[in-house]
Amino acid sequence: MKPAAFTYHRAESVEHAVSLLGELGEDAKVIAGGQSLVALMNMRLARPSALVDVSGVRGLHHMVLEPSGELRIGALVTHAAIEDYPLVIPGFEILPKAAALVGHWPIRTRGTFGGSIAHADPTSEWCLVAVLHGARMVIEGPGGSRTLGSEDFFGGPFMTDLGHDELLTEVVLTEPRERSAIREFARRAGDFAIVSAAVAYDIVNGRMSGARVALGGVASVAVRAPAAEAELEGAEATPEVFARASRAAAEDLQPPSDLHGSADYRRRLVRVLTERALADTLAGD
Amino acid sequence: MRTDSETLNVEFTVNGEARRVSIPPRRTLADVLREDLGLTGTHLGCEHGVCGACTVIVDGEPVRACLMFGVQAAGCEIETVEGLALPDGSLNDLQRSFSEHHGLQCGFCTPGMLMLGTAYVRRAVAADRESVREVVSSNLCRCTGYQGIVDAVCELVCHPDGTGAGEDPAGDS
Ligand SMILES: Cc1cc2nc3c(=O)[nH]c(=O)nc-3n(C[C@H](O)[C@H](O)[C@H](O)COP(=O)(O)OP(=O)(O)OC[C@H]3O[C@@H](n4cnc5c(N)ncnc54)[C@H](O)[C@@H]3O)c2cc1C
Ligand code: FES
Ligand code: FES
């Protein structure tokens, strides 16, 4: 199908984008890579009256590792740029692996990190990574800038705290970890995952520390799995511990049942994928 | 209801030739190529990013032409399937390889496969069959079963040490 008519506005800067969004009113939308929005518009599931194209805005294409160990990612960094990033980013080795799981190459060349976070698909790889790494979202609006943690930013499937006249400019990933891995299951290569699992931890004195387990596709937004994290914390990284933690990850979940999979099937996927992701963290040993 | 009273003038190059179109913002790049420029080699299957029939190359990168508006292509270099053949009309290496390996049957997916393959061949160094499979999984083909397509692309990029065209590792992806 073809999209409904709209007016097109090219933003020159963050301030310009924010003021355009304010002037054009509630029915205007930001377009970044367009890899979710244009599909929705073609199906007329979205009918914005105006598009504010931010793809030419400078200063939102950075990846900066701070001395604190935190990583700042500009909203317009594409999935492909992260996948092909020529350097290893210490503490965030999960990034290129996660990028490679986002759709297909011709989608990754245009789709953006910030667009994925703003779109808030419950099984988006970047939303999962944001939850795993305690992300802070940096938002610019008419009243200046504000920062939200993922608990406050994500409201539900395709829902965030972003106002219609606000722009997500940067995502700060915190809590770098020595070891991390991501696994997901999708029916076909490149599809959105049915369930995804990401894990990360440091090794301190031969034991796991700062363990994190995040799951996608089991709730309306990506979630942490505290019971699994507790099993890992302070333990040695062994297959037995991994198996226990993976069972714990699946136990206290109430995942949705839909035509992609029943709740039981999803719980099973959580156990298997968490265990495989944990096993991947030993691949370098 | 809003109408298309507003059109914008947009300039870009297609297959090296400067083009200028006057288009409403809602026209996708795929429709601009097909309707405004008569380049109907770029096909439309799903119009929501899933099938890859509309794949073209924009500034060196493969993209879905149905997920980009024509107005967003201002100043870009666009390559389409019409630009592949040699000046005398004979097939280029990738096209010839598709023909030799039976990489097409009905041909509907072929322009998209060729443009995806073109972008990949330019950047792949000693690729293996598995990565070719991963790349072409981006585009849907309802006829060939993909083996011929993988063989065709592999002939140009795979290392000849047994990972090249012809055999298929038991991939379980
Ligand atoms: C076939 C197909 C398969 C895909 N598979 C996957 C997959 O497996 N995993 C996955 O995660 N994604 C997948 N995607 C989606 C893809 O990752 C998109 O790139 C991403 O969801 C949105 O990024 P974008 O830059 O294209 O945003 P757009 O499509 O431009 O925008 C998406 C939404 O976010 C808003 N928005 C965008 N940027 C900002 C900003 N900076 N500030 C405020 N609001 C903003 C827009 O207004 C819009 O509502 C797939 C897409 C397709 C077509
Ligand atoms: S027509 Fe563009 S991906 Fe199907
Ligand atoms: S040759 Fe018919 S769809 Fe691919």
Side-chain angles (χ1 to χ4, degrees), chain A residues 63 80-89 96:
Chain A
M63 293 222 270
I82 297 176
E83 183 182 13
D84 297 338
Y85 197 70
L87 305 174
V88 172
I89 306 176

Side-chain angles (χ1 to χ4, degrees), chain B:
Chain B
M1 200 174 180
R2 189 177 297 278
T3 61
D4 283 334
S5 51
E6 179 204 37
T7 61
L8 300 172
N9 292 323
V10 181
E11 290 177 39
F12 43 68
T13 68
V14 181
N15 301 323
E17 213 181 303
R19 306 302 295 250
R20 185 193 168 96
V21 289
S22 181
I23 48 173
R26 64 160 151 171
R27 192 159 299 165
T28 63
L29 177 59
D31 280 336
V32 172
L33 292 168
R34 291 177 56 84
E35 311 285 332
D36 295 81
L37 300 176
L39 297 172
T40 52
T42 300
H43 290 172
L44 281 167
C46 66
E47 301 191 301
H48 59 266
V50 173
C51 75
C54 65
T55 307
V56 299
I57 298 177
V58 175
D59 290 342
E61 309 270 21
V63 309
R64 305 283 210 229
C66 72
L67 293 188
M68 184 173 175
F69 292 111
V71 288
Q72 295 179 285
C76 292
E77 288 179 15
I78 299 158
E79 296 169 69
T80 69
V81 71
E82 286 87 352
L84 292 185
L86 305 178
D88 67 359
S90 59
L91 302 183
N92 79 2
D93 288 349
L94 186 65
Q95 290 172 306
R96 195 188 31 72
S97 187
F98 264 68
S99 163
E100 277 168 15
H101 291 283
H102 305 289
L104 63 152
Q105 288 179 23
C106 79
F108 189 83
C109 70
T110 313
M113 288 288 185
L114 285 169
M115 297 320 288
L116 179 68
T118 298
Y120 185 62
V121 166
R122 280 184 198 158
R123 73 175 230 161
V125 219
D128 57 22
R129 202 174 164 83
E130 202 41 47
S131 25
V132 173
R133 283 165 60 95
E134 170 71 28
V135 167
V136 303
S137 77
S138 154
N139 289 16
L140 295 182
C141 175
R142 302 293 274 171
C143 302
T144 63
Y146 287 87
Q147 301 308 324
I149 295 170
V150 174
D151 288 346
V153 177
C154 243
E155 175 170 318
L156 277 79
V157 296
C158 290
H159 202 267
D161 68 352
T163 47
E167 54 196 286
D168 191 19
D172 65 350
S173 62

Side-chain angles (χ1 to χ4, degrees), chain A:
Chain A
M1 271 174 72
K2 311 293 178 190
F6 57 86
T7 60
Y8 176 76
H9 311 263
R10 209 172 272 133
E12 309 289 340
S13 64
V14 171
E15 299 70 39
H16 187 212
V18 169
S19 83
L20 281 171
L21 288 167
E23 280 163 33
L24 294 165
E26 287 205 12
D27 292 334
K29 264 197 165 301
V30 172
I31 183 167
Q35 300 302 290
S36 294
L37 184 57
V38 181
L40 291 174
M41 289 174 66
N42 287 354
M43 293 188 276
R44 300 223 177 177
L45 293 172
R47 307 173 66 125
S49 60
L51 288 186
V52 175
D53 188 347
V54 297
S55 61
V57 172
R58 280 165 207 255
L60 300 180
H61 293 83
H62 55 280
M63 293 222 270
V64 178
L65 190 62
E66 293 292 327
S68 64
E70 296 183 346
L71 181 69
R72 292 168 37 213
I73 303 181
L76 294 179
V77 173
T78 62
H79 312 315
I82 297 176
E83 183 182 13
D84 297 338
Y85 197 70
L87 305 174
V88 172
I89 306 176
F92 300 99
E93 284 85 349
I94 198 169
L95 288 173
K97 297 177 212 155
L101 296 173
V102 181
H104 300 283
W105 182 27
I107 288 154
R108 300 198 285 269
T109 56
R110 290 191 62 78
T112 65
F113 190 92
S116 278
I117 299 284
H119 190 58
D121 188 291
T123 60
S124 138
E125 287 79 7
W126 295 138
C127 296
L128 183 71
V129 167
V131 167
L132 184 79
H133 278 290
R136 293 196 304 271
M137 323 300 167
V138 182
I139 300 164
E140 293 290 334
S145 117
R146 63 188 182 117
T147 300
L148 288 181
S150 49
E151 331 70 69
D152 300 317
F153 181 84
F154 295 117
F158 311 106
M159 282 187 290
T160 69
D161 198 57
L162 278 173
H164 78 91
D165 53 358
E166 289 185 311
L167 192 69
L168 176 68
T169 54
E170 182 179 87
V171 174
V172 186
L173 299 184
T174 70
E175 306 180 344
R177 292 290 181 269
E178 268 167 56
R179 294 181 180 180
S180 55
I182 179 169
R183 282 278 187 153
E184 66 176 42
F185 180 76
R187 295 242 180 251
R188 292 170 303 193
D191 278 6
F192 277 97
I194 295 174
V195 167
S196 52
V199 301
Y201 59 86
D202 283 327
I203 290 286
V204 177
N205 299 326
R207 290 172 182 278
M208 289 182 277
S209 163
R212 294 281 179 276
V213 177
L215 304 171
V218 299
S220 60
V221 298
V223 292
R224 296 255 303 266
E229 293 175 355
E231 290 286 349
L232 299 173
E233 193 68 31
E236 284 180 44
T238 63
E240 296 70 41
V241 173
F242 291 170
R244 250 200 327 273
S246 308
R247 277 197 301 277
E251 249 155 38
D252 44 64
L253 286 178
Q254 299 300 326
S257 281
D258 57 28
L259 81 170
H260 301 296
S262 65
D264 270 344
Y265 180 63
R266 282 191 158 83
R267 265 191 292 269
R268 220 183 141 77
L269 282 177
V270 165
R271 185 177 61 67
V272 172
L273 294 170
T274 305
E275 194 164 349
R276 288 185 187 167
L278 285 165
D280 289 345
T281 63
L282 299 183
D285 283 11

